Amino acid sequence: MTLARLALVRLAASLAVLWGAVTATFVLLQVMPGSTADVLLARSSVTPAIRARLVAEYGLDDPLPTQYLTYLGRIARGEFGESYVLRRPVWDEIAAQLPDTLLLVATTLAATVVASVLIGLVSVNRRAWVRSLFAAAESLVVALPPFWLGLLLLTVFSFTLHWFPAIGSSSPAGLVLPTVALAAGPAAVVAGVLREGLLRAMEEPFVVTARARGVGEAALRLRHVLRHALLPVTTLLGWIAGSLIGGAVIIEIVFSRQGIGRLALSAVANKDMPVVVAVVLVTAVAFVLLTITVDILTWVIDPRTRDAGR
């Protein structure tokens, strides 16, 4: 499969994913209790005539298929209008909150890569009990809910030791605990996958040849074995990176940080459809772009994938 064909296939699949995401959002908001009109008029005391005029203005009295097609048309044109609750353009709100979320996701991804590589390299031991100990610890970390781990980190390092701020901060220190809470699970998963890849790679003939040439154990793992074990990890990291934006929702709430997670939670609670749709679309687009990037990197790294589909 050529790179151009791969990109076109992934783009077509991505459009289907985006359509599914915005459609699911529309359906869920429709079946939630309460109505959009109630949200729009929550802070106002109006007559039935004014309410009816507002409902007609927003098309809330149209049949659902008509509302759905109008909704898709606005999204296709990039028109999200104003927030029903905040009374501000939706994109202004997204632009104000997105940088904080992206910063948290970037630091989490970097921490995941560094921690998983270090753990994977250290845990590749010929002694089975050592590998079992690391595997058990990783399973325990994966089982911990991020919000519970976040609360534990706050209790120990903020409220008890006073090492880090307890409430969201723009300083580097304010990023440490949220990053650890969000990266712990992904790092444990990636470390386990990387360790298995390293163990398989160390059984390959090229390892015996390298050792015969006098290559040291550390150099062997870093220069030869690690490169062969990174392919499945690259794919996994792409999926993790795409899901981190969604995972940041809870962490932003636990640590009282600004971001689209808190914005989305407030919008869902208030049935603020323009904001909810914009957040879902931004998250879906980020996931899609990361997935396409990982597929292209896999095509470049592993020549065997280029023969797939022939």
Side-chain angles (χ1 to χ4, degrees):
M1 180 180 292
T2 65
L3 183 58
R5 182 181 176 189
L6 174 66
L8 288 175
V9 170
R10 293 296 182 266
L11 181 60
S14 300
L15 292 176
V17 170
L18 295 176
W19 171 80
V22 297
T23 299
T25 303
F26 177 83
V27 172
L28 289 174
L29 287 172
Q30 292 298 326
V31 300
M32 284 180 62
S35 67
T36 303
D38 294 332
V39 174
L40 290 169
L41 300 172
R43 297 177 176 85
S44 305
S45 178
V46 298
T47 63
I50 294 178
R51 178 186 177 89
R53 186 173 63 186
L54 185 65
V55 167
E57 179 183 345
Y58 281 92
L60 302 177
D61 56 348
D62 293 339
L64 279 181
T66 302
Q67 291 187 45
Y68 175 67
L69 292 177
T70 304
Y71 160 84
L72 288 183
R74 287 199 305 266
I75 291 177
R77 296 189 300 271
E79 298 174 0
F80 290 89
E82 290 189 350
S83 164
Y84 293 158
V85 176
L86 301 173
R87 307 298 184 184
R88 291 185 58 195
V90 171
W91 285 124
D92 287 354
E93 289 298 317
I94 296 293
Q97 302 294 337
L98 187 58
D100 291 309
T101 298
L102 291 180
L103 178 60
L104 177 59
V105 170
T107 57
T108 300
L109 190 58
T112 298
V113 172
V114 173
S116 59
V117 170
L118 290 176
I119 295 172
L121 290 172
V122 171
S123 62
V124 176
N125 194 295
R126 293 183 180 180
R127 298 175 182 176
W129 69 269
V130 175
R131 298 196 301 270
S132 299
L133 183 62
F134 275 96
E138 290 160 3
S139 299
L140 177 62
V141 172
V142 171
L144 294 177
F147 76 89
W148 187 87
L149 180 59
L151 292 174
L152 180 63
L153 292 173
L154 279 174
T155 301
V156 175
F157 295 103
S158 294
F159 302 140
T160 303
L161 299 177
H162 305 289
W163 288 359
F164 301 100
I167 299 177
S169 171
S170 57
S171 66
L175 269 174
V176 174
L177 296 185
T179 297
V180 172
L182 192 56
V189 172
V190 175
V193 173
L194 181 60
R195 180 172 57 253
E196 294 302 318
L198 290 169
L199 289 172
R200 287 194 299 269
M202 291 183 71
E203 296 176 356
E204 297 292 333
F206 73 86
V207 174
V208 178
T209 303
R211 284 178 173 151
R213 296 201 312 266
V215 178
E217 194 66 24
L220 175 65
R221 295 184 183 184
L222 290 174
R223 297 178 185 176
H224 302 279
V225 177
L226 182 60
R227 179 166 57 89
H228 288 266
L230 283 179
L231 183 60
V233 172
T234 302
T235 304
L236 181 59
L237 281 174
W239 178 83
I240 288 175
S243 64
L244 282 179
I245 295 181
V249 174
I250 296 177
I251 296 302
E252 287 173 351
I253 295 171
V254 170
F255 290 91
S256 299
R257 289 184 56 84
Q258 296 297 317
I260 62 172
R262 295 181 66 190
L263 179 65
L265 182 66
S266 173
V268 170
N270 292 304
K271 291 200 71 173
D272 195 349
M273 181 179 286
V275 175
V276 174
V277 173
V279 170
V280 169
L281 191 60
V282 167
T283 305
V285 167
F287 184 83
V288 163
L289 291 177
L290 287 167
T291 302
I292 294 175
T293 301
V294 168
D295 288 338
I296 292 174
L297 287 175
T298 302
W299 186 92
V300 173
I301 295 172
D302 189 358
R304 294 171 297 179
T305 61
R306 305 173 193 177
D307 298 328
R310 285 186 177 178

